Amino acid sequence: MKDGWARQQAARFLRVSTIGPRLRVVQRIEFTGLYPWQWTPAEGEAFIAELRGGSSPVLMSTARGYEVIITLFMEYLLDRRYGWVEECLSRFGDTPRAVFHEGNSVLHTVEYEGDPRRRPLTYDEVQALFDAADARPQRIRGQGRKGALTALRDAAVLKTVYAFGTRRTESSRVDLVDLRRNRKAPRFGGYGSMMVRFGKSSKGAPPKRRTVLLVPEMDWVVDVLDDYITQVRPQLSPGAHPALWVSERVGRLSPRSINEAFVAARQDAGLDESLDLCCLRHSYITHLTEFGYPARFVQEQVGHSHAATTAIYMSVSNEYRTALLEASMRKRLGEDWDVVS
């Protein structure tokens, strides 16, 4: 059954990294000692109840993910085209059945169920993060330790992630050739746009591509990138390696290393430990909105298929909302607004 389900998913061009964990979830429910055609809703409920117990209870979103995986597996077994129902009935006098249903599964009632502490950084926090990243190379040199050169690279990475709103994996996979001119903004030189060729993909689909345009409010990153590419990167001896961000071992900088660079700068800046690298992307979306860019433009910049997804990442300031309200009231009341205010 598991082999057949794996082949079905492979035929849909799902990745091995997707299929493998799904099979492991199905194997975990086998703690009941029963075969899949013997599973009932009670076994599914016991599985989730066990995950919720202990010192590290599972998150609601994780529990839903497990329920979805088991449901997909049972749907495969119940599909008459594969013959498992007839086979089980013939051999064991029993058939597979749905394990999770509306009455015993986690309901998806809100759009975002992640850690509520994750949020966009304020402008002051972004500056504090970058100041801390900029201070690391000098401090490392002063301590006589190795790593000043990679600290310079890490500071440039974090600033570029924020300036273009890219994900960690997207940032890791950017090559030098992906930085291009924007003929509508020649003053940005060769850094007017970034081609993201390895964007987050849907299940069974190839990576999504998009071009992120550099906005005027982020034009300071031009000097950051130019300094890194002309001064810092050559000292890492990358040779013919195409990656924009290279490691000291002449390889592509990994997403994990980018995470670690953020954590190091966050700790030095004394920022909330619940903030992570993805918060820079939240900040990018929020700040572009506050700069006045249309929602559709922001959505295209960050590569979201749906506007609702972009809205989840956005958390504009009270000052921005107050300014919008004031502009709306002025438009509606005209000269009377000055009297009212």
Side-chain angles (χ1 to χ4, degrees):
M1 287 176 170
K2 290 184 291 187
D3 289 345
W5 190 43
R7 287 193 298 271
Q8 183 205 52
Q9 295 176 86
R12 295 172 53 202
F13 274 71
L14 297 187
R15 298 177 181 176
V16 173
S17 59
T18 297
I19 299 173
R22 286 183 172 183
L23 292 176
R24 288 194 288 272
V25 170
V26 170
Q27 290 168 348
R28 287 182 65 178
I29 199 174
E30 291 178 355
F31 80 96
T32 59
L34 302 175
Y35 291 107
W37 56 88
Q38 297 173 310
W39 293 348
T40 68
E43 278 71 54
E45 292 157 11
F47 175 59
I48 298 300
E50 182 187 47
L51 293 175
R52 292 194 62 190
S55 58
S56 300
V58 70
L59 296 175
M60 181 185 294
S61 57
T62 303
R64 178 185 294 108
Y66 290 164
E67 291 175 359
V68 169
I69 289 171
I70 294 169
T71 298
L72 289 172
F73 177 61
M74 300 313 296
E75 287 177 350
Y76 163 73
L77 298 184
L78 290 169
D79 191 330
R80 296 281 181 174
R81 290 170 292 190
Y82 294 101
W84 288 116
V85 172
E86 292 77 9
E87 186 73 15
C88 291
L89 186 61
S90 172
R91 291 193 181 201
F92 315 113
D94 201 356
T95 61
R97 72 209 75 185
V99 172
F100 291 107
H101 52 77
E102 185 175 338
N104 71 349
S105 56
V106 181
L107 298 177
H108 196 163
T109 57
V110 296
E111 292 291 340
Y112 179 68
E113 294 176 340
D115 190 336
R117 295 173 298 175
R118 179 183 288 179
R119 59 170 175 79
L121 280 69
T122 66
Y123 297 103
D124 288 342
E125 287 175 328
V126 170
Q127 189 60 57
L129 182 79
F130 292 164
D131 288 345
D134 287 338
R136 284 183 64 80
Q138 187 61 37
R139 186 169 68 255
I140 291 172
R141 291 193 191 99
Q143 295 171 346
R145 296 189 292 117
K146 295 181 179 180
L149 189 61
T150 56
L152 286 169
R153 176 205 61 202
D154 291 346
V157 170
L158 296 180
K159 293 173 184 178
T160 305
V161 167
Y162 170 65
F164 287 93
T166 50
R167 301 177 177 92
R168 67 200 72 192
T169 301
E170 294 172 347
S171 303
S172 172
R173 300 299 296 271
V174 171
D175 288 342
L176 284 170
V177 296
D178 294 323
L179 294 173
R180 303 178 181 180
R181 293 181 176 274
N182 179 357
R183 61 187 182 87
K184 296 293 185 179
R187 65 189 180 94
F188 298 151
Y191 311 111
S193 68
M194 176 185 289
M195 182 68 177
V196 176
R197 293 180 288 121
F198 293 89
K200 186 176 181 180
S201 62
S202 303
K203 297 295 185 183
K208 294 181 181 178
R209 292 191 174 205
R210 72 179 188 279
T211 297
V212 183
L213 303 179
L214 180 61
V215 298
E217 291 81 1
M218 305 291 188
D219 61 357
W220 45 264
V221 82
V222 171
D223 291 336
V224 171
L225 283 168
D226 190 63
D227 181 70
Y228 166 74
I229 292 173
T230 60
Q231 303 297 325
V232 179
R233 189 176 183 274
Q235 296 183 59
L236 292 168
S237 303
H241 202 293
L244 172 61
W245 310 113
V246 292
S247 69
E248 56 273 32
R249 296 184 179 181
V250 196
R252 187 180 296 275
L253 192 66
S254 68
R256 180 177 179 178
S257 296
I258 299 176
N259 272 343
E260 292 171 349
F262 177 89
V263 171
R266 183 197 66 199
Q267 291 174 342
D268 288 351
L271 299 178
D272 188 340
E273 65 178 13
S274 63
L275 299 174
D276 61 13
L277 183 69
C278 191
C279 291
L280 284 180
R281 183 170 162 87
H282 287 234
S283 306
Y284 176 81
I285 292 172
T286 298
H287 296 165
L288 252 61
T289 302
E290 293 183 344
F291 294 154
Y293 289 97
R296 182 63 182 181
F297 175 80
V298 178
Q299 180 185 340
E300 293 289 341
Q301 286 281 96
V302 295
H304 286 156
S305 299
H306 306 286
T309 306
T310 308
I312 292 172
Y313 282 71
M314 185 176 62
S315 179
V316 296
S317 66
N318 289 335
E319 291 79 4
Y320 173 75
R321 289 184 293 171
T322 300
L324 284 183
L325 177 61
E326 180 177 345
S328 176
M329 295 299 290
R330 284 187 180 280
K331 182 177 181 180
R332 179 176 298 182
L333 298 178
E335 295 181 355
D336 292 337
W337 167 253
D338 295 326
V339 177
V340 173
S341 60

